[in-house]
Amino acid sequence: GGPAMLRASAKNYKWTAVIVNPENYSKVIEQIKETGGIEESFRAKLAGEVFSHTAHYDSLIANYFNKFNEIEFPKKISISMNSEQSLRYGENPHQSAHLYGDFTKIFSQLHGKELSYNNIIDIDSAAKIISEFDDIPTVAIVKHTNPCGVGRSENLLSAYQKAFATDIVSPFGGIVAFNKEVDIEMANAIHGLFTEVLIAPSFSAEAFELLNKKKDRRLIVADLVNLKSKLNYDFRSVLGGMLIQKSDVEIVDSMKIEVVSDRQPTNEEWSALMFAWKVCKHVKSNAIVYASEDRTLGIGAGQMSRVDSSRIAVEKSKLMNLTLHNSVIASDAFFPFADGVLEAVNAGATAIIQPGGSVRDADVIKAVNDNNMAMIFTGARHFRH
């Protein structure tokens, strides 16, 4: 409890060293015994630890009062986090990296080699996707932070098969997240697939015994119940500073959502549109998702043109021998032209969900009505950069 203070005399000077880390006690004692003092470089190290320690305490107090006074973005910020673990390297082997914060309070690693920087980024993305689905058994497969397939069903195995069918190539070396306990049936189905990480709220004893036979596969237990409470702010470094924004936790606002087409969506289309919208929120912009009520059918991510994202989604569905007949389409931002609607019509979609807000909304709505489609405006977009 609290910093330890040492005072001693060496030849012609006195010094004071404050030690806040008990791990340094033995080294301090050793140096005093050998030289009668502490080396200047080590004193500097100890001083750095002291100021970091007190700065952390001060930042907690400052953040408390800012929150108490409802100051969302104060004039000055202090971000203080504890070290969690050193990483072998960052995104690439020539980049050093370290993990700070409370990540391990949300995610517990049960098995497998140490997590990499990229693993942690993908785990974060996969967990956020799967946390959107807390009722029906759902599986999300993620690669490079993008979902390459999401499925839901009466059990995890069926949900996994639907998710995997969206893209049978990309899951190799990917991240698979489950919103329910992984049982032996699910474990048997996925055991043969090379995956970097499996994430679930729990693993049955039988499933764990089987899955841990692959030493490199990481098994992660995620606290999906409390995960959403951690979605407060997003931080991103930029040259010379940092961007901070409120986390995007909204799905739809009942006060903003509006059916803008002449035809109302059917019950089945409503269900599929809400499913597609949840997935689309987690796809890199420009994002296009074709889906049915219980599975993704084609995903286009990260293209400079929205039409290109749609074409990629359609082409991938064809490669996987999936039909888009009677599917729905979700777009993370508005269609700037009617060509996106016509692309969806040609693919076989019957309903669209998008934010709206284009200066050409009238042209887009006309194209929808001319093709007897249904369309919903959510009034809010989900860009993900």
Side-chain angles (χ1 to χ4, degrees):
M5 184 73 76
L6 289 181
R7 288 183 173 85
S9 296
K11 293 185 179 179
N12 298 319
Y13 66 92
K14 291 184 177 181
W15 49 265
T16 299
V18 182
I19 309 168
V20 295
N21 183 356
E23 293 180 1
N24 290 319
Y25 289 174
S26 59
K27 187 172 182 179
V28 169
I29 293 170
E30 180 183 339
Q31 287 196 9
I32 291 174
K33 287 180 177 180
E34 289 182 357
T35 67
I38 301 175
E39 295 174 358
E40 184 177 359
S41 60
F42 191 48
R43 293 203 309 271
K45 177 180 182 294
L46 295 175
E49 289 186 349
V50 169
F51 283 106
S52 293
H53 185 83
T54 55
H56 174 68
Y57 183 66
D58 288 341
S59 70
L60 294 178
I61 297 172
N63 291 336
Y64 168 79
F65 282 111
N66 285 332
K67 184 177 181 181
F68 181 82
N69 291 295
E70 298 183 349
I71 301 173
E72 188 171 37
F73 298 109
K75 291 183 178 180
K76 292 184 178 181
I77 63 167
S78 297
I79 300 172
S80 183
M81 296 182 180
N82 290 317
S83 167
E84 288 219 306
Q85 65 187 71
S86 180
L87 305 176
R88 289 177 60 198
Y89 51 79
E91 284 184 288
N92 300 289
H94 61 275
Q95 296 170 267
S96 57
H98 201 96
L99 174 63
Y100 292 87
D102 294 327
F103 183 85
T104 55
K105 290 184 179 179
I106 306 170
F107 304 100
S108 301
Q109 185 171 355
L110 303 182
H111 173 75
K113 62 183 180 181
E114 64 181 340
L115 295 174
S116 71
Y117 181 98
N118 293 335
N119 289 154
I120 292 170
I121 295 294
D122 282 333
I123 289 170
D124 179 79
S125 296
K128 286 175 180 175
I129 295 170
I130 209 67
S131 69
E132 303 278 12
F133 304 92
D134 55 7
D135 48 0
I136 301 172
T138 305
V139 176
I141 305 173
V142 170
K143 193 72 172 287
H144 301 310
T145 75
N146 276 306
C148 49
V150 181
R152 61 181 177 179
S153 192
E154 67 280 356
N155 58 68
L156 280 187
L157 178 58
S158 177
Y160 166 71
Q161 291 168 339
K162 292 173 182 178
F164 184 77
T166 307
D167 184 344
I168 64 173
V169 177
S170 297
F172 183 83
I175 313 291
V176 185
F178 310 86
N179 71 341
K180 304 294 181 184
E181 180 176 87
V182 172
D183 57 20
I184 187 60
E185 183 182 34
M186 183 64 252
N188 276 320
I190 204 169
H191 184 56
L193 177 68
F194 167 60
T195 54
E196 289 279 354
V197 183
L198 301 182
I199 309 167
S202 59
F203 296 84
S204 72
E206 289 180 306
F208 179 76
E209 183 179 359
L210 173 64
L211 294 172
N212 71 10
K213 290 181 178 179
K214 289 191 176 180
K215 65 178 182 178
D216 289 343
R217 175 192 286 145
R218 291 93 162 173
L219 302 180
I220 304 291
V221 169
D223 184 359
L224 298 178
V225 174
N226 295 315
L227 183 149
K228 290 186 178 182
S229 67
K230 304 295 184 181
L231 297 175
N232 298 316
Y233 292 92
D234 297 329
F235 300 83
R236 178 170 294 188
S237 62
V238 293
L239 291 174
M242 178 180 293
L243 291 171
I244 304 176
Q245 67 172 352
K246 289 286 289 184
S247 297
D248 183 7
V249 296
E250 182 178 285
I251 295 298
V252 291
D253 185 335
S254 60
M255 299 299 292
K256 296 178 182 177
I257 195 167
E258 177 186 10
V259 177
V260 295
S261 56
D262 291 339
R263 182 173 73 79
Q264 290 283 323
T266 65
N267 290 338
E268 291 77 12
E269 286 172 336
W270 267 111
S271 178
L273 287 167
M274 290 300 104
F275 175 78
W277 189 241
K278 286 183 178 181
V279 176
C280 190
K281 172 186 170 183
H282 298 277
V283 178
K284 291 278 191 178
S285 301
N286 285 309
I288 293 291
V289 174
Y290 284 86
S292 62
E293 285 185 272
D294 57 0
R295 58 181 293 176
T296 50
L297 297 168
I299 299 174
Q303 299 304 302
M304 289 68 76
S305 163
R306 191 160 301 279
V307 173
D308 283 346
S309 286
S310 182
R311 288 171 179 161
I312 288 172
V314 171
E315 286 303 312
K316 294 196 78 169
S317 69
K318 289 178 180 177
L319 287 172
M320 298 301 122
N321 295 315
L322 298 173
T323 179
L324 297 182
H325 181 65
N326 290 331
S327 65
V328 304
I329 180 174
S331 172
D332 65 339
F334 61 68
F335 284 109
F337 302 99
D339 56 359
V341 173
L342 299 178
E343 184 80 24
V345 169
N346 293 333
T350 62
I352 297 173
I353 184 168
Q354 59 136 319
S358 169
V359 295
R360 296 182 179 84
D361 274 348
D363 295 339
V364 174
I365 293 171
K366 183 179 185 303
V368 165
N369 290 331
D370 287 347
N371 289 278
N372 194 34
M373 298 181 78
M375 185 162 68
I376 296 171
F377 279 1
T378 64
R381 74 183 187 199
H382 286 304
F383 271 168
R384 183 165 174 257
H385 280 65

